[in-house]
Amino acid sequence: MRALLVVNPAATTTSARTRDVLIHALASETKLEAVTTEYRGHARDLGRQAAESGNVDLVVALGGDGTVNEVVNGLLHSGPEPERLPGLAVVPGGSTNVFARALGLPNDAVEATGALLDALREGRERTIGLGLAAGTPGTEDEAVPSRWFTFTAGLGFDGGVVGRVEQQRERGRKSTHALYVRQVVRQFLAESNRRHGTVSIERPGEDPVTDLVVAIVSNTSPWTYLGNRPMYTSPKASFDKGLDVLGLSRLSTAAVARYGTQLLTSSPERGPHGKHAFSLHDLDQFTLHSKVPLPLQMDGDHLGLRTSVTFTGVRRALRVIV
């Protein structure tokens, strides 16, 4: 098997020595080429080159969710063809690793490499669905290029949190769960639309859902982790179905305390719920509109401000080794 290993040298939970050990282990089972990323978007470029070359059977992403997202967008640059395109494998090296853990992989890079090698020997793989987001035709965002995401996207509050975390990381702060919690609090205190939301959900043939403060899109569950605690915004979300959405129409102090507690105690059976919570399951296509520009995030990556984004759930889009 011809494999390309895409290595993010800034991965927060792997050292250079650990990466050397992992490369040696993978090279023992595959014809391996390892490339270290040198700039933002490099992993996407490498994934695209692998897809277009026809000479690569497997692309392994060693890094966090951002690295995985870039590789996926490179692999699917010309569209999903899981039987033709290289398969994807993930070795978690970030601080959270939602996608890898949602696939059932260990959160430790060495253990995950062992699981990957076992999967390769046994021929274990699955074809999963992904989310695709694009600027909505007829709006000021229509020229925004489409982008794939593996586990989540959000317009509004969570996008603002991700943006704040990225700002802190650019200043040299380490990405930790405590950093995320602090930025959640700061985003809440700065949120000007927390009582009267500006976001609406529009679906073909359905009445719109309006006045949302938060709209979180899930392609799988859990949505994220706080340490080792899984968080379920949309418990029924699955790689085998369309997209799920959780919308919140109020973020008062009492509402944040209530939904925060529900999220911390969420389970595969129940997520946040209540008078101001709205959930949709297994959607093929919908659009999020906002009356004002709001921050957009995908797979924990801040993508700037948007007023209208159309989402598509694409089933059986990517072959992954598990």
Side-chain angles (χ1 to χ4, degrees):
M1 177 176 285
R2 298 160 299 181
L4 171 67
L5 175 64
V6 178
V7 181
N8 179 0
T12 56
T13 58
T14 57
S15 65
R17 183 174 182 179
T18 300
R19 290 192 290 270
D20 288 343
V21 171
L22 301 183
I23 290 171
H24 181 75
L26 291 170
S28 69
E29 297 289 336
T30 66
K31 185 177 180 181
L32 185 71
E33 177 186 5
V35 181
T36 299
T37 58
E38 299 176 356
Y39 53 87
R40 186 165 185 168
H42 194 184
R44 180 193 61 232
D45 295 342
L46 293 169
R48 180 178 178 178
Q49 291 166 15
E52 293 176 346
S53 71
N55 296 321
V56 177
D57 303 305
L58 174 69
V59 177
V60 184
L62 171 53
D65 289 311
T67 303
V68 174
N69 180 278
E70 285 195 15
V71 169
V72 168
N73 274 276
L75 287 172
L76 273 63
H77 175 79
S78 298
E81 294 184 67
E83 301 308 317
R84 181 187 69 83
L85 293 173
L88 172 72
V90 179
V91 177
S95 58
T96 310
N97 308 306
V98 179
F99 179 65
R101 294 162 87 172
L103 288 172
L105 295 171
N107 197 36
D108 176 79
V110 175
E111 291 182 17
T113 300
L116 168 59
L117 294 175
D118 288 342
L120 290 174
R121 296 185 191 108
E122 298 169 14
R124 297 199 312 265
E125 63 178 45
R126 62 183 289 198
T127 303
I128 65 169
L130 297 173
L132 181 65
T136 304
T139 71
E140 61 186 55
D141 289 329
E142 66 179 339
V144 175
S146 60
R147 178 161 172 157
W148 297 92
F149 60 96
T150 63
F151 63 93
T152 191
L155 183 67
F157 184 84
D158 61 316
V161 172
V162 169
R164 287 175 178 273
V165 170
E166 288 193 4
Q167 288 177 350
Q168 294 299 314
R169 293 186 66 182
E170 288 171 359
R171 295 170 184 169
R173 301 287 178 84
K174 187 177 180 180
S175 179
T176 64
H177 299 295
L179 176 64
Y180 274 89
V181 171
R182 288 197 300 271
Q183 301 317 310
V184 167
V185 173
R186 289 174 180 171
Q187 181 65 25
F188 169 71
L189 294 175
E191 182 63 59
S192 59
N193 300 306
R194 63 185 186 222
R195 291 186 179 273
H196 303 286
T198 66
V199 178
S200 62
I201 304 174
E202 296 187 2
R203 296 166 289 160
E206 302 286 346
D207 292 334
V209 180
T210 61
D211 302 326
L212 298 175
V213 181
V214 178
I216 299 173
V217 182
S218 294
N219 184 51
T220 188
S221 195
W223 164 67
T224 190
Y225 289 81
L226 185 61
N228 290 321
R229 183 191 295 272
M231 316 275 267
Y232 299 87
T233 57
S234 298
K236 294 191 291 184
S238 167
F239 285 130
D240 299 318
K241 298 183 178 181
L243 300 174
D244 283 25
V245 185
L246 171 70
L248 302 178
S249 60
R250 182 170 296 181
L251 276 185
S252 63
T253 303
V256 167
R258 180 168 62 254
Y259 293 130
T261 300
Q262 291 177 354
L263 195 55
L264 288 170
T265 59
S266 60
S267 69
E269 288 72 42
R270 195 172 200 190
H273 55 277
K275 179 181 178 181
H276 300 289
F278 185 85
S279 298
L280 293 170
H281 175 58
D282 195 13
L283 302 181
D284 290 325
Q285 190 171 78
F286 61 94
T287 297
L288 296 182
H289 289 294
S290 175
K291 298 173 184 176
V292 299
L294 293 177
L296 173 70
Q297 68 87 13
M298 287 189 214
D299 288 348
D301 191 9
H302 183 263
L303 299 179
L305 301 178
R306 301 284 188 273
T307 56
S308 188
V309 186
T310 295
F311 293 87
T312 304
V314 182
R315 302 166 197 259
R316 297 187 59 80
L318 181 69
R319 203 161 41 88
V320 293
I321 308 304
V322 290

